[in-house]
């Protein structure tokens, strides 16, 4: 018997990077997985790759930052697959920007996807989990939610928000059978970092503290940790923020 046999998992941001690696890992261990992404083509391709064995995966389009989109997509997942047992909130965006030049659009987009999006997905799956008195939610935070990272005020604020949102939901729902935890990766080898740009006038030295001498992690390594926490092996983990960052937050 595999760890996720007969369980339904929802993974956001599943068309790429950590979301895809997590969907793949949960499916390999028996879960039926709903892959949610803003980019439906990417989620569909990812689901096809996962489905090439005995596994079961299905793609859905969602904008996690929009209340209506989240509720509509989660309702579709429930009607297609049943009530989710596991939710992994991987969808996330970021951009390096000098804070004095921050725009309303960029600030609201980053907070909207990373923080509000994580909350909206939790809000939408919680009623089913409460009814079953069983569920596990893993939010993806970041080293940037635990330390200052230059030129990343919106991203740091959003991920710091995810850290304490996780704790708040954990204490609210632990006696209803729902566990909420977070994983805080450091640099990962995913397409994300190529989209951040480099702020004008910044020096490579500014980024030394967020680079581990071990280099970046692979998304599959982080996905293995997510799977542990989501599974019954993590039964006693509640409201934890588990770092996996090559040591960048340890000193
Ligand atoms: P990624 O490869 O860029 O994947 C993120 C996925 O989320 C993309 O498929 C993206 O779609 C999707 N997405 C963006 N906005 C969305 C929205 N509004 N609704 C639904 N999906 C949306 O990034 P990743 O590196 O795997 O990141 C996964 C998580 O890890 C993020 O929360 C990130 O903040 C966190 N993290 C990453 C690193 C790192 O170094 N990579 C480090 C620490 C934490 P599009 O391609 O269409 O935008």
């Amino acid at each position: 018997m595999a760890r996720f046999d007969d369980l339904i998992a929802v993974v956001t941001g599943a068309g790429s990077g950590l979301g895809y690696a997590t969907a793949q890992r949960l499916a390999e261990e028996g879960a039926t997985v709903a892959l949610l992404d803003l980019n439906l083509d990417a989620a569909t391709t990812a689901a096809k790759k996962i489905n090439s064995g005995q596994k079961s995966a299905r793609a859905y389009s969602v904008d996690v930052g929009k209340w209506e989109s989240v509720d509509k997509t989660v309702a579709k997942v429930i009607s297609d697959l049943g009530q989710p047992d596991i939710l992994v909130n991987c969808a996330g965006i970021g951009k390096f920007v000098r804070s004095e030049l921050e725009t309303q659009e960029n600030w609201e987009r980053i907070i909207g996807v990373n923080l509000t999006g994580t909350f909206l997905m939790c809000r939408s799956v919680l009623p089913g989990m409460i009814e079953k008195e069983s569920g596990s939610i893993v939010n993806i935070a970041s080293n940037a939610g635990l330390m200052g990272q230059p030129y990343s005020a919106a991203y740091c604020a959003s991920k710091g928000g995810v850290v304490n949102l996780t704790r708040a939901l954990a204490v609210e729902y632990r006696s209803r059978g729902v566990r909420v935890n977070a994983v805080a990766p450091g640099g990962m080898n995913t397409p994300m970092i190529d989209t951040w740009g480099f702020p004008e006038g910044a020096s490579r030295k500014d980024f030394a503290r967020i680079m581990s001498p071990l280099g970046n992690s692979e998304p599959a390594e982080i996905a293995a940790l997510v799977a542990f926490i989501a599974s019954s092996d993590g039964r006693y983990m509640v409201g934890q923020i588990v770092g996996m960052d090559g040591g960048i937050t340890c000193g």
Side-chain angles (χ1 to χ4, degrees):
M1 175 103 180
R3 283 195 296 190
F4 302 114
D5 276 353
D6 302 327
L7 298 184
I8 294 153
V10 175
V11 181
T12 71
S16 176
L18 178 59
Y20 172 56
T22 300
Q24 198 174 32
R25 176 71 191 234
L26 299 179
E28 269 165 20
E29 294 199 44
T32 297
V33 185
L35 289 90
L36 275 54
D37 206 289
L38 188 60
N39 184 340
L40 181 59
D41 288 346
T44 304
T45 305
K48 272 194 195 138
K49 282 198 236 162
I50 290 172
N51 274 327
S52 62
Q54 291 297 306
K55 301 156 204 114
S56 178
R58 199 153 165 172
Y60 296 85
S61 142
V62 75
D63 182 342
V64 296
K66 302 224 162 85
W67 293 66
E68 231 184 281
S69 172
V70 168
D71 283 349
K72 210 170 119 193
T73 302
V74 172
K76 179 90 176 90
V77 171
I78 292 169
S79 112
D80 290 347
L81 308 175
Q83 292 287 356
D85 302 282
I86 294 161
L87 166 66
V88 185
N89 278 306
C90 285
I93 55 171
K95 189 176 175 183
F96 286 129
V97 62
R98 304 185 72 91
S99 289
E100 78 273 22
L101 303 177
E102 183 60 285
T103 62
Q104 181 179 352
E105 190 197 356
N106 187 60
W107 177 272
E108 288 178 354
R109 209 170 63 91
I110 291 176
I111 300 286
V113 174
N114 297 0
L115 178 55
T116 309
T118 299
F119 172 69
L120 292 181
M121 285 298 306
C122 294
R123 172 188 167 273
S124 207
V125 302
L126 273 165
M129 291 181 172
I130 292 165
E131 203 182 316
K132 289 205 255 191
E133 294 183 29
S134 167
S136 179
I137 296 175
V138 183
N139 296 325
I140 303 304
S142 167
N143 65 285
L146 302 170
M147 66 189 284
Q149 180 173 292
Y151 310 109
S152 319
Y155 188 74
C156 286
S158 71
K159 293 298 186 176
V162 168
V163 165
N164 228 26
L165 168 66
T166 298
R167 294 185 181 122
L169 295 179
V171 292
E172 192 169 339
Y173 293 104
R174 65 186 164 191
S175 54
R176 316 283 297 268
V178 183
R179 295 185 300 111
V180 188
N181 292 283
V183 167
M188 259 188 298
N189 286 327
T190 70
M192 174 182 251
I193 207 65
D194 299 331
T195 65
W196 280 53
F198 195 77
E200 209 187 309
S203 146
R204 300 254 161 222
K205 275 194 213 147
D206 295 335
F207 299 96
R209 266 194 71 221
I210 60 167
M211 313 284 283
S212 168
L214 305 182
N216 287 346
S217 65
E218 293 305 324
E221 296 176 285
I222 309 294
L225 173 61
V226 171
F228 175 86
I229 296 171
S231 78
S232 56
D233 289 332
R235 182 193 73 84
Y236 209 57
M237 291 183 79
V238 176
Q240 297 305 299
I241 315 301
V242 186
M244 193 164 180
D245 61 14
I248 58 180
T249 52
C250 73

